Amino acid sequence: MQTLIKNVNVINPQNDVKTHQNVLIEGNLIKEISSSKISTKNSVNVIEGNDNYLLPGFIDCHTHIFAKGFYKEENMVNPLGIHFYNAVPHSLQTINAGVTTIRDCGAADLSFKLAQQRKLFIAPKVHLSVVPLVMTGGHFDLFLPSGWDMEIMYPGLPKGRCDGVDEVLKKTREVKRAGADFIKVMCSGGVLTTNNLPDFPQFNKKELKAIVNEAKTSNMKVSAHCHSLKGMNNCIDAGFSSIEHGTFIDKKTSLKMVKNNVDLVPTLLVHQFLYENGFPAWDNYATEKTAKLKEIVEVHKENISVAYEQGVNILMGTDSGVIPHGHNLEELIHLTKIGMSNSEAMASGTVKAAEFLGYDNLGEIKKNFIADLILVNSNPLEDVSILSNNDNILKVIQDGIIVKN
């Protein structure tokens, strides 16, 4: 099957715009890009580009596609099936926002990946962590003071709680067995967690090193949820591949990340969104969470600016699932506020993200690259905020198939 996109302006974020191009897709690959007429088969599907702008599909490096706020109360009252059905509308919202691939940092399991591959519903392609590793009493330990354990459990999903070298080793293997593409570890407290603080590290160095060593036997990367400065340094020393959030990062730690080739996924959108939009009226901890966020929002932005200035490789991630899905490309606006150019911000969610995930044929519009593309109605290199309005994203193509029209 061939698809021809006629008369578009092609944007690869790290290169100049190529105007008035024709792009031929065959199967799931880009086969030709030319300013001249392209020869096609008689059965070609033609898309009129109308001088609009063609970009690579975006990659969100930090999502939770099953999640809808992570409210323990919903875990309590909803049948288990709702946990899975939520992924259907969340996936469509994500696709409609121009995101064709996600890196899920906890809650989605192998069933979602298989459902996407089998085209059971429209969904972004996914790199799975399945479930994060968490120490007893740590961030995402959902065992409550009441004695109730609110962690969702079912066959095929490992329980994330573990302590000590032997337990973290076994848990890493269990998560690998469950179909994970990378390992996610909760290495500090969380901003929205009521029983711990984001300032302090979690897991000790021996535990962290044991996780990394086991992951490396399968050539898997290890990612750290981490706000804490001490926690970040522990993770860098242990050999982690990325830090998620990085709220209290400083210049010294930034330079250490550069030296050790550790990437940063700052998820700037999530704190700002929650601070501006608040929490449900029935959330008994809303006041406490909002007070934490007030302190966090500004210092987070200032510190990520420092990391950017020191040369840390920054990737686009949103923490969608903690906030509603479909706002993904608003993160690009926040990235420009810490100093990135429009082009750099877009690259963080396309070519740079693809490189981090191990692709050599995704994230750019090039011959023989995967045809994950979005068509937008104006030039985001001039104003990246246009991508935050899903109405400006006219079409989304995934593996050569139109999934938003």
Side-chain angles (χ1 to χ4, degrees):
M1 176 65 184
Q2 289 187 330
T3 298
L4 178 65
I5 308 173
K6 298 173 67 175
N7 187 27
V8 290
N9 304 302
V10 172
I11 295 179
N12 284 310
Q14 296 179 315
N15 300 297
D16 294 333
V17 179
K18 290 185 176 180
T19 59
H20 307 300
Q21 300 291 301
N22 302 305
V23 178
L24 180 65
I25 300 167
E26 190 166 298
N28 71 332
L29 298 177
I30 299 166
K31 298 307 291 183
E32 190 174 349
I33 304 166
S34 177
S35 57
S36 303
K37 185 177 179 180
I38 296 177
S39 298
T40 63
K41 298 176 181 177
N42 292 332
S43 59
V44 66
N45 174 36
V46 176
I47 298 173
E48 295 292 343
N50 297 319
D51 204 28
N52 287 307
Y53 292 81
L54 193 69
L55 284 68
F58 278 86
I59 299 168
D60 190 331
C61 289
H62 192 122
T63 66
H64 302 277
I65 200 70
F66 278 17
K68 196 175 183 179
F70 284 109
Y71 297 117
K72 302 177 186 71
E73 293 84 353
E74 292 201 345
N75 292 0
M76 245 168 99
V77 301
N78 285 332
L80 178 61
I82 295 296
H83 181 62
F84 302 96
Y85 287 128
N86 278 337
V88 178
H90 296 169
S91 293
L92 188 59
Q93 289 163 343
T94 303
I95 287 287
N96 287 342
V99 173
T100 50
T101 300
I102 59 172
R103 176 171 168 261
D104 193 277
C105 288
D109 67 2
L110 186 58
S111 68
F112 178 83
K113 186 173 185 176
L114 295 176
Q116 190 282 324
Q117 290 173 345
R118 296 171 187 178
K119 310 300 183 188
L120 299 184
F121 52 89
I122 292 172
K125 291 178 278 192
V126 64
H127 280 242
L128 291 171
S129 65
V130 182
V131 66
L133 275 58
V134 52
M135 72 178 200
T136 297
H139 180 56
F140 221 69
D141 180 356
L142 301 182
F143 190 93
L144 304 182
S146 63
W148 289 102
D149 189 348
M150 300 311 303
E151 186 172 357
I152 291 176
M153 292 178 285
Y154 52 88
L157 186 76
K159 201 169 179 65
R161 195 182 302 128
C162 51
D163 301 285
V165 170
D166 289 345
E167 282 192 17
V168 300
L169 176 62
K170 184 175 182 181
K171 193 60 60 178
T172 303
R173 290 173 176 171
E174 288 181 3
V175 171
K176 288 164 65 173
R177 181 179 63 187
D181 299 300
F182 70 102
I183 305 299
K184 167 81 178 294
V185 189
M186 298 305 199
C187 298
S188 81
V191 174
L192 303 180
T193 312
T194 54
N195 63 340
N196 54 65
L197 295 171
D199 316 57
F200 301 119
Q202 296 182 358
F203 287 114
N204 61 45
K205 286 187 177 182
K206 287 184 178 180
E207 291 169 323
L208 297 175
K209 190 65 178 174
I211 295 166
V212 170
N213 286 342
E214 178 56 32
K216 282 183 176 178
T217 64
S218 304
N219 200 28
M220 295 171 71
K221 293 184 175 181
V222 185
S223 158
H225 157 101
C226 200
H227 300 281
S228 159
L229 189 61
K230 174 67 172 172
M232 281 183 258
N233 280 281
N234 287 347
C235 293
I236 297 166
D237 291 341
F240 276 56
S241 298
S242 70
I243 302 292
E244 317 292 310
H245 315 306
T247 301
F248 298 115
I249 195 168
D250 63 6
K251 181 177 178 179
K252 183 178 179 181
T253 302
S254 297
L255 292 171
K256 190 175 178 181
M257 287 180 68
V258 173
K259 181 180 178 181
N260 288 274
N261 196 30
V262 181
D263 292 348
L264 176 62
V265 188
T267 65
L268 292 158
L269 171 64
V270 63
H271 294 151
Q272 187 71 46
F273 189 98
L274 289 170
Y275 184 63
E276 291 175 359
N277 293 278
F279 300 90
W282 45 259
D283 189 339
N284 293 328
Y285 297 100
T287 302
E288 181 182 339
K289 291 176 182 177
T290 302
K292 274 189 187 180
L293 285 168
K294 186 176 182 180
E295 296 177 11
I296 289 292
V297 166
E298 202 56 39
V299 72
H300 191 195
K301 184 171 75 172
E302 291 172 0
N303 291 342
I304 300 303
S305 295
V306 170
Y308 168 70
E309 289 165 3
Q310 300 311 312
V312 175
N313 191 43
I314 292 175
L315 305 173
M316 188 195 85
T318 62
D319 221 354
S320 293
V322 175
I323 59 175
H325 298 269
H327 295 269
N328 307 66
L329 299 193
E330 289 180 29
E331 178 71 13
L332 301 176
I333 299 172
H334 293 280
L335 291 174
T336 61
K337 288 180 178 178
I338 59 103
M340 298 178 83
S341 67
N342 291 340
S343 176
E344 287 176 314
M346 291 163 60
S348 77
T350 53
V351 58
K352 293 290 188 182
E355 289 171 359
F356 177 76
L357 294 181
Y359 291 101
D360 60 5
N361 64 343
L362 184 68
E364 296 182 84
I365 303 176
K366 290 184 175 180
K367 185 177 179 179
N368 293 326
F369 271 52
I370 295 170
D372 285 2
L373 308 165
I374 65 173
L375 186 68
V376 301
N377 60 10
S378 52
N379 187 353
L381 290 173
E382 296 175 356
D383 179 9
V384 79
S385 70
I386 68 106
L387 294 172
S388 66
N389 183 344
N390 294 351
D391 291 339
N392 294 330
I393 298 169
L394 306 176
K395 294 185 188 295
V396 177
I397 296 170
Q398 183 189 59
D399 284 326
I401 299 169
I402 298 173
V403 289
K404 177 184 179 179
N405 197 358

